[in-house]
């Protein structure tokens, strides 16, 4: 499928098209109120579509602590020297201009009985419908020797922003012939191909700037997304640089010492210069505080992304447990449009379309060497279920790989415009 900015925006607009002027159902307090927590691919998209398609008949508030949002997707390209850091940054000005009330604060609590969201700065916002899109947090104790206080010495760089900058600076400062280590996460986690695209991009940078450097990957999984494609790419472009240690060879038996900068894999300690620890993940904290999680994630109904715990609370993207879709920015954006359409219909009586979802994950292995995996999905009573899918093939020619990379650039322009206006 050839995807570009116009097609991406056009299909999104069609999916959430407004067929008629809405009829507002208020609860005695004027306009119905929707509060959205989290301004990433899920939350920003949901807020924008609700404000745009309700034509001002719904009061939409987005709570997001940062004034500039840096995408986690495409951040690996910054690590590889393909992108500048500013290429990843997006402001909320256009969302505000489009009718979204943007509040830069932390949501620190949810009272589902009173239907309010508490803010760190004080006060609470009332809602009729609450959409949570908080992304990920990390499971405490997932990697022995590492906790969040260790993230400056051994960054995770799995939330966009300062952690990405820090990891890039550490890679650039590696001594000649030094060692970069990654502790990869167990399933399920944000962006299944993400750690392996990161390895590719770090290798891309080191090949050009520090060619005797080595990369070690300790992985608790026996296989990973696009495994054959990445391993082919590593052999073709970075032969001898990358040592991937999977579960069958002790990759799940890992501890780290941030003070000593050592990584111990299956009992063998190695001194490293940079260590990227990507721990096991769970839903962003506000989902747990709202009482809508079951274990690490928030179970949702596939038709509208409403939570199993509360029909007036919805969870999008990485934080949700929804079925077959991967945790990705594309998935969150797709789910947000379905959710916004359903919420608007519930609050205004407007047309609600059957839920359909899609996702593609692109990865860059080397210059103009892009690969992809994706699928379409539908809502069933049990889950979001995969309908059909596709994946790049090993052995593709350079022209096709270049076209795949250029397709990803078109998608990035499209999704960020779709999120932020």
């Amino acid at each position: 499928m050839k995807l570009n900015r116009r097609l991406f925006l056009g299909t999104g607009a069609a999916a959430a098209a407004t067929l008629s002027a809405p009829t507002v159902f208020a609860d005695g307090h004027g306009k119905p109120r929707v509060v959205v927590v989290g301004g990433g691919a899920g939350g920003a998209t949901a807020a924008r579509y609700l404000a745009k398609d309700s034509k001002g008949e719904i009061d939409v508030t987005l709570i997001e602590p940062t004034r500039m949002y840096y995408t986690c997707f495409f951040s690996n390209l910054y690590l590889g020297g393909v992108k500048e850091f500013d290429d990843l940054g997006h402001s909320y000005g256009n969302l505000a201009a489009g009718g979204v009330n943007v509040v830069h604060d932390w949501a620190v609590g949810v009272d589902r009985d009173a239907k309010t969201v508490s803010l760190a700065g004080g006060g609470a916002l009332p809602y009729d419908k609450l959409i949570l899109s908080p992304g990920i947090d990390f499971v405490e104790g997932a990697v022995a020797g590492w906790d969040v206080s260790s993230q400056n010495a051994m960054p995770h760089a799995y939330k966009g922003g300062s952690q990405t900058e820090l990891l890039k600076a550490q890679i650039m400062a590696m001594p000649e012939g030094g060692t970069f280590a990654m502790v990869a996460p167990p399933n399920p986690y944000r962006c299944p191909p993400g750690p392996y695209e990161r390895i590719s991009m770090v290798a891309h940078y080191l090949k050009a700037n520090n060619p005797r450097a080595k990369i070690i990957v300790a992985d608790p999984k026996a296989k990973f997304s696009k495994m054959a494609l990445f391993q082919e790419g590593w052999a073709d472009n970075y032969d001898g640089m990358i040592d991937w240690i999977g579960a069958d060879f002790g990759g799940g038996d890992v501890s780290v010492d941030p003070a000593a900068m050592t990584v111990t894999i299956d009992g063998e300690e190695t001194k490293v210069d940079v260590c990227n620890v990507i721990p096991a993940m769970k839903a962003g904290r506000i989902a747990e505080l709202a009482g809508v999680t079951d274990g690490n994630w928030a179970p949702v109904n596939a038709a509208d992304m409403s939570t199993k715990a509360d029909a007036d609370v919805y969870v999008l993207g990485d934080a949700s447990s929804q079925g077959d879709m991967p945790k990705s920015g594309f998935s969150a954006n797709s789910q947000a449009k379905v959710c916004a359409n359903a919420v608007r219909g519930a609050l205004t009586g407007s047309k609600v379309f059957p839920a359909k979802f899609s996702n593609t994950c692109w990865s860059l292995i080397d210059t103009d060497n892009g690969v992809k995996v994706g699928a379409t999905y539908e809502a069933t009573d049990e889950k979001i279920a995969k309908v059909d899918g596709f994946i790049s093939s090993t052995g593709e020619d350079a022209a096709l790989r270049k076209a795949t990379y250029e397709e990803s650039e078109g998608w990035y322009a499209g999704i960020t415009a779709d999120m932020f206006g």
Side-chain angles (χ1 to χ4, degrees):
M1 178 181 66
K2 180 76 171 175
L3 190 66
N4 56 39
R5 181 177 182 274
R6 179 177 294 176
L7 176 59
F8 184 87
L9 292 174
T11 54
T18 305
L19 296 189
S20 59
T23 302
V24 178
F25 299 105
D27 234 356
H29 52 238
K31 294 180 182 179
R33 297 174 293 209
V34 177
V35 173
V36 183
V37 178
T45 304
R48 178 172 174 263
Y49 272 79
L50 278 165
K52 174 176 68 73
D53 291 343
S54 70
K55 301 186 184 302
E57 300 294 347
I58 297 175
D59 186 295
V60 183
T61 298
L62 175 67
I63 304 171
E64 165 58 45
T66 64
R67 294 182 179 274
M68 184 69 72
Y69 181 82
Y70 290 91
T71 58
C72 204
F73 48 93
F74 264 46
S75 63
N76 289 331
L77 277 62
Y78 163 67
L79 297 178
V82 178
K83 295 288 181 187
E84 298 296 327
F85 188 67
D86 288 347
D87 294 336
L88 308 176
H90 306 272
S91 76
Y92 293 92
N94 286 339
L95 275 185
V100 177
N101 179 31
V102 181
V103 176
H104 291 297
D105 203 344
W106 288 96
V108 294
V110 174
D111 185 332
R112 285 171 29 214
D113 293 327
K115 288 194 168 184
T116 58
V117 179
S118 302
L119 301 178
L125 294 174
Y127 68 84
D128 295 294
K129 297 285 190 179
L130 173 63
I131 300 174
L132 303 177
S133 191
I136 51 135
D137 277 325
F138 300 113
V139 176
E140 189 173 348
V143 176
W146 191 96
D147 60 28
V148 176
S149 69
S150 310
Q151 66 182 3
N152 286 344
M154 293 184 169
H156 55 79
Y158 234 65
K159 298 180 182 182
S162 60
Q163 277 276 299
T164 314
E165 288 186 291
L166 174 61
L167 183 59
K168 176 66 177 286
Q170 291 182 349
I171 295 166
M172 292 174 68
M174 281 176 61
E176 180 65 27
T179 300
F180 174 98
M182 173 188 284
V183 179
N187 293 320
Y189 62 94
R190 162 180 282 177
C191 189
Y196 312 99
E197 180 188 56
R198 178 168 293 178
I199 291 299
S200 304
M201 288 291 95
V202 171
H204 175 80
Y205 176 85
L206 293 176
K207 182 179 178 180
N209 297 280
N210 192 349
R212 293 194 299 110
K214 298 294 183 184
I215 296 173
I216 301 169
V217 187
D219 201 328
K221 304 179 293 299
K223 59 183 181 179
F224 55 84
S225 177
K226 304 180 192 168
M227 185 169 179
L229 292 165
F230 281 115
Q231 291 189 330
E232 175 194 58
W234 295 345
D236 289 347
N237 298 284
Y238 314 115
D239 189 33
M241 180 180 278
I242 300 166
D243 182 14
W244 177 78
I245 303 168
D248 295 341
F249 300 93
D253 180 13
V254 178
S255 64
V256 299
D257 185 338
M261 285 303 293
T262 58
V263 179
T264 301
I265 304 170
D266 200 27
E268 182 178 345
E269 183 180 275
T270 302
K271 178 80 173 175
V272 300
D273 300 289
V274 178
C275 187
N276 175 206
V277 177
I278 310 175
M281 298 173 200
K282 62 180 182 179
R285 174 74 170 148
I286 192 64
E288 184 180 347
L289 293 174
V292 297
T293 54
D294 182 2
N296 287 337
W297 310 102
V300 298
N301 299 299
D304 62 0
M305 303 302 293
S306 63
T307 63
K308 303 283 190 180
D310 189 327
D312 290 325
V313 180
Y314 303 72
V315 176
L316 306 177
D318 297 343
S320 67
S321 174
Q322 36 70 16
D324 295 345
M325 294 189 83
K327 298 181 184 297
S328 74
F330 198 133
S331 292
N333 173 266
S334 181
Q335 294 161 15
K337 295 173 190 176
V338 168
C339 177
N341 181 238
V343 168
R344 183 167 60 92
L347 294 176
T348 71
S350 60
K351 173 77 171 179
V352 177
F353 297 92
K356 295 183 183 299
F357 308 89
S358 60
N359 174 71
T360 304
C361 290
W362 289 268
S363 303
L364 190 61
I365 294 174
D366 195 15
T367 303
D368 290 334
N369 185 352
V371 294
K372 63 181 177 179
V373 62
T376 57
Y377 307 83
E378 64 183 9
T380 69
D381 290 342
E382 293 78 31
K383 65 178 183 177
I384 296 179
K386 182 177 176 180
V387 176
D388 54 39
F390 57 87
I391 187 170
S392 296
S393 300
T394 55
E396 291 174 335
D397 64 31
L400 180 55
R401 290 293 177 85
K402 182 178 181 180
T404 300
Y405 168 63
E406 290 172 346
E407 183 180 277
S408 74
E409 289 277 10
W411 168 78
Y412 187 88
I415 192 174
T416 52
D418 206 37
M419 290 162 60
F420 300 108

